[in-house]
Amino acid sequence: MSMIINNQEDFNRVNRQVWGQLFGLFIQKGREKGSRSVEEASGAAGMEQSEWLAVEAGRVPETAAQLRSMTGALEFSDAQLANVTCLCRGAWEQ
């Protein structure tokens, strides 16, 4: 797949998308490592399955509460949450 980046706005959009997909991969792998289905994880987080799957596909949570409910459902420690969000911080940058 090739991408043409014409300007800074395009670069920022692609950059957020890439970091969002990496964040989603962390969430997916954390769910799979805990042997949780999407249904189990989304239910524990108080989310719809479609919302959970959207995050795994690269859409980042919009609020700290959403982020905490997801990582709580995966039983991530505060340190794990901090590491993942710090590493993938580009997903939230405007």
Side-chain angles (χ1 to χ4, degrees):
M1 178 175 151
S2 71
M3 288 188 189
I4 297 174
I5 298 176
N6 294 316
N7 56 42
Q8 188 65 37
E9 187 177 318
D10 287 345
F11 175 79
N12 291 340
R13 180 184 48 78
V14 170
N15 192 46
R16 284 190 309 272
Q17 181 181 8
V18 168
W19 285 113
Q21 288 174 338
L22 182 61
F23 177 79
L25 186 60
F26 278 117
I27 294 297
Q28 179 184 357
K29 294 302 178 186
R31 177 180 59 76
E32 291 171 350
K33 184 177 180 185
S35 300
R36 293 174 183 86
S37 68
V38 171
E39 181 179 22
E40 292 168 330
S42 63
M47 299 171 68
E48 297 292 325
Q49 290 180 41
S50 60
E51 293 174 300
W52 187 280
L53 288 170
V55 171
E56 287 190 5
R59 193 191 115 250
V60 294
E62 295 178 12
T63 67
Q66 291 171 324
L67 181 61
R68 283 218 170 264
S69 69
M70 290 188 78
T71 56
L74 297 176
E75 299 178 0
F76 281 8
S77 68
D78 287 343
Q80 287 171 307
L81 171 58
N83 287 337
V84 169
T85 53
C86 185
L87 177 66
C88 299
R89 68 185 170 273
W92 286 274
E93 293 177 356
Q94 296 296 319

